[in-house]
Amino acid sequence: MIRIIKLIVAVLGMASSAQADKPNILWLFCDDMAVNAIGAYESRFADMNPTPNIDRLAWEGIRFDKCYVANSVCAPSRATLLTGKHSHKNGLRGNLEDFDHDQMQFQKMIGQAGYQSAIFGKTHLRGDVQGFDHWETLPGHGKYENPSLNTANGTIQTTGHSSDVITDHALNWYCTRRDPDKPFILMVHYKAPHRKWIPASRFVGAFKDKIFPEPKTLFDDYETRKLAATHAMGIGKHMKVEKDLKADRWQHRKFLLDESLTGEALVHAKYQAYLQDYFACVAGVDASVGRLLAQLKADGIYDNTIVMFSSDQGFYLGEHGWFDKRWMYEESFRTPFLVKWSGVTTPGSSNSDLVQNIDFAPTFLDIAGVDAPGEMQGESLVPLFKGQTPTDWRKSLYYHYYMTQHGTTPHEGVSKGDFKLIRFYGEKTGGTDQWELFDLETDSAELNNLYDNPDMTGKVAELKAELFRLRDYYDVPDEKVGKVQRNNRDGHRANFR
Ligand SMILES: [Ca+2]
């Protein structure tokens, strides 16, 4: 009997040891973090060294240069993160719909492999999350200052800036609540740098003497892209000097209330103020990332923890004159993605394979050693982390945005990395689909819509065929195409073909 007990203890010990060897996952996630805001992406802001802590993940790991989202807006992106599915499959097409929490999500399965899971911060999914061992989430968008947090035991009130609060609470779970004998996935989801870009007080003036380089498209005239001209998120027309730029709150912004400041001079001034606040919020996230990484190092588990950094989508930092997301144009379609996995990722490397946020959930499961369910539509990125991209890796991406908020038009499209084709539908198209084609290698700013160029007939046909193939591959139901949120009062059904 004693020998049997000893045997059981030994077997359990081996299992525990095997679990301890499994890598932990620290998932760092932002809201509206532009690729261009990350220093490691070598954008026009890189010389300002805006993100030294986040950049460490790139210097020690892989920078993904072609990571994209399936639907560039907050809630749908998060639904895709958890389900590994496009919006039409997980049911969350827009920000104003409810998420079905009962459906399959990766965190409901990762515990099979002994992982404990916790999520902190913004989910933007109405209702309580399911499947996490521990969760403390912002209600809706959450507040920047003194946010409340929903928990399994009710709502709690906190004090401080949201980035600090989310980090504090994540660290508290990590240090005092988790089981140190089990691997973990810890998801830390910041509200920053979402509009209205309110930084912690210690960062408010951090960039007020900096001059931010402007994009060449700040005064885009939208020639050849008529639908883009209706986007009501322009720095010139739509950004409010009081509400967005705090001219009524902060002394150093009072000058924006001067009525003699008009026209292009006002746009230049608003752009600078916008980026000062945006980057002050980014600095707060970066400092938080530094705290989390330092704690892992202090505990000796940094090397056995895969650290990933990403955002629910990219963002326009003045490109095309905007301060928003939604469109399939690169700045919002693309999202940052950095991965540090000590001993696996090659330090300072980059990857230009086409990856998408449908891949994140199957990747988490693959790391844990759990088979991803067939209904997940993404692929595991683990081979890419190892520098071993499969020869049959995808050569194109499917995108679909369904809302009409802020003057946008629903659209879907395909990108092959070098060329991109977009189909717009809905009320503003007058019932006739409108198309745009861009050559990303010669026109990275996407100013020149080539759809009607006779020389591009073959390319248009090629990309349309690929779009149709992707719609079949991802099982996009015809009857859903063109259906947008009811409260947008747009019941148009698209005439797809
Ligand atoms: Ca967002």
Side-chain angles (χ1 to χ4, degrees):
M1 184 65 182
I2 291 172
R3 287 181 60 186
I4 292 172
I5 291 171
K6 280 184 177 173
L7 186 63
I8 292 170
V9 168
V11 168
L12 288 175
M14 284 169 61
S16 175
S17 171
Q19 285 185 357
D21 290 341
K22 288 186 174 179
N24 308 302
I25 301 169
L26 174 60
W27 171 257
L28 305 166
F29 202 51
C30 281
D31 195 336
D32 295 359
M33 179 72 90
V35 173
N36 285 334
I38 308 297
Y41 277 99
E42 300 170 0
S43 75
R44 66 185 190 275
F45 309 111
D47 290 345
M48 303 170 89
N49 191 26
T51 51
N53 290 298
I54 296 167
D55 292 350
R56 280 170 48 195
L57 304 176
W59 311 148
E60 297 176 21
I62 299 183
R63 183 189 73 196
F64 281 82
D65 289 345
K66 291 187 176 175
C67 181
Y68 293 87
V69 295
N71 182 355
S72 180
V73 71
C74 300
S77 175
R78 290 147 199 279
T80 291
L81 167 67
L82 299 181
T83 62
K85 295 177 174 181
H86 279 280
S87 303
H88 64 275
K89 283 293 186 184
N90 64 46
L92 199 66
R93 293 180 173 78
N95 270 347
L96 306 175
E97 300 163 353
D98 290 329
F99 178 65
D100 174 12
H101 289 276
D102 292 335
Q103 69 182 294
M104 177 278 300
Q105 297 166 66
F106 89 87
Q107 73 274 16
K108 297 184 180 184
M109 288 163 268
I110 202 164
Q112 295 166 19
Y115 275 71
Q116 55 199 317
S117 58
I119 187 167
F120 294 84
K122 181 169 175 179
T123 66
H124 206 138
L125 302 173
R126 289 197 191 104
D128 294 348
V129 294
Q130 292 182 13
F132 289 100
D133 295 316
H134 188 91
W135 51 275
E136 299 181 29
T137 57
L138 295 169
H141 272 292
K143 292 182 176 174
Y144 263 120
E145 295 162 318
N146 306 323
S148 57
L149 291 169
N150 291 337
T151 78
N153 299 314
T155 302
I156 57 174
Q157 181 59 46
T158 73
T159 304
H161 186 270
S162 75
S163 295
D164 296 328
V165 166
I166 291 164
T167 307
D168 290 343
H169 284 240
L171 279 171
N172 183 54
W173 175 83
Y174 165 85
C175 292
T176 69
R177 303 284 297 269
R178 76 184 166 98
D179 179 349
D181 294 328
K182 284 178 154 186
F184 65 82
I185 176 165
L186 170 57
M187 307 184 87
V188 186
H189 287 205
Y190 294 104
K191 171 183 174 63
H194 193 278
R195 190 186 190 186
K196 309 168 190 172
W197 316 293
I198 299 171
S201 57
R202 66 187 186 279
F203 292 110
V204 165
F207 293 89
K208 74 181 176 60
D209 298 322
K210 301 278 188 193
I211 303 296
F212 289 89
E214 293 179 352
K216 66 178 182 180
T217 57
L218 183 59
F219 294 96
D220 193 348
D221 61 6
Y222 310 110
E223 191 181 354
T224 78
R225 291 152 292 127
K226 281 187 295 185
L227 293 165
T230 65
H231 190 28
M233 294 293 261
I235 292 174
K237 280 188 186 170
H238 310 100
M239 183 177 275
K240 309 294 184 197
V241 294
E242 293 95 345
K243 190 177 84 173
D244 291 319
L245 301 175
K246 306 92 179 169
D248 54 347
R249 291 175 58 187
W250 294 347
Q251 188 61 35
H252 67 282
R253 289 287 164 71
K254 296 287 186 202
F255 75 100
L256 288 171
L257 297 171
D258 182 345
E259 291 183 359
S260 67
L261 185 57
T262 58
E264 289 196 1
L266 178 59
V267 175
H268 290 302
K270 287 163 79 175
Y271 169 82
Q272 292 298 327
Y274 160 42
L275 289 204
Q276 286 171 14
D277 296 353
Y278 185 92
F279 276 89
C281 287
V282 170
V285 172
D286 188 71
S288 289
V289 170
R291 288 178 62 200
L292 289 160
L293 299 185
Q295 189 65 53
L296 295 178
K297 286 203 166 180
D299 296 336
I301 64 168
Y302 182 75
D303 286 348
N304 196 37
T305 302
I306 304 168
V307 185
M308 305 187 202
F309 177 92
S310 192
S311 173
D312 63 348
Q313 10 65 210
F315 209 66
Y316 297 95
L317 299 180
E319 296 88 359
H320 302 294
W322 295 331
F323 58 96
D324 197 32
K325 51 251 186 180
R326 304 167 199 282
W327 302 96
M328 197 187 170
Y329 305 128
E330 288 293 287
E331 290 84 357
S332 52
F333 178 31
R334 198 173 161 218
T335 200
F337 185 43
L338 305 173
V339 181
K340 187 281 304 179
W341 186 353
S342 306
V344 174
T345 51
T346 301
S349 60
S350 62
N351 175 295
S352 57
D353 297 314
L354 296 175
V355 306
Q356 198 164 25
N357 57 347
I358 55 173
D359 301 327
F360 294 148
T363 298
F364 300 147
L365 292 178
D366 192 16
I367 290 168
V370 176
D371 290 337
E375 63 186 291
M376 282 192 177
Q377 297 184 304
E379 307 292 334
S380 170
L381 300 172
V382 169
L384 281 61
F385 296 165
K386 296 176 176 174
Q388 299 166 354
T389 303
T391 52
D392 59 350
W393 189 255
R394 72 167 69 88
K395 301 291 189 291
S396 62
L397 297 166
Y398 179 72
Y399 179 85
H400 203 144
Y401 169 78
Y402 298 82
M403 299 179 77
T404 57
Q405 260 189 334
H406 303 303
T408 51
T409 301
H411 57 282
E412 65 174 344
V414 55
S415 176
K416 296 181 79 172
D418 54 353
F419 278 88
K420 179 192 297 181
L421 180 75
I422 311 174
R423 181 187 75 96
F424 294 89
Y425 62 90
E427 203 171 67
K428 284 188 185 165
T429 66
T432 305
D433 292 345
Q434 293 187 21
W435 298 81
E436 293 181 358
L437 175 75
F438 297 100
D439 179 342
L440 300 173
E441 293 185 348
T442 63
D443 178 29
S444 60
E446 295 163 287
L447 297 176
N448 190 15
N449 172 15
L450 298 169
Y451 185 76
D452 292 324
N453 184 327
D455 295 339
M456 289 292 154
T457 306
K459 185 57 73 176
V460 166
E462 174 195 327
L463 270 91
K464 276 191 180 175
E466 185 62 8
L467 179 60
F468 299 156
R469 187 191 72 80
L470 288 176
R471 294 186 76 249
D472 288 340
Y473 182 75
Y474 290 120
D475 195 23
V476 184
D478 280 346
E479 69 276 13
K480 298 288 185 186
V481 174
K483 181 184 174 190
V484 294
Q485 290 179 248
R486 186 161 33 96
N487 53 358
N488 287 324
R489 299 180 183 83
D490 186 345
H492 176 74
R493 282 183 59 171
N495 175 21
F496 184 69
R497 295 175 196 239

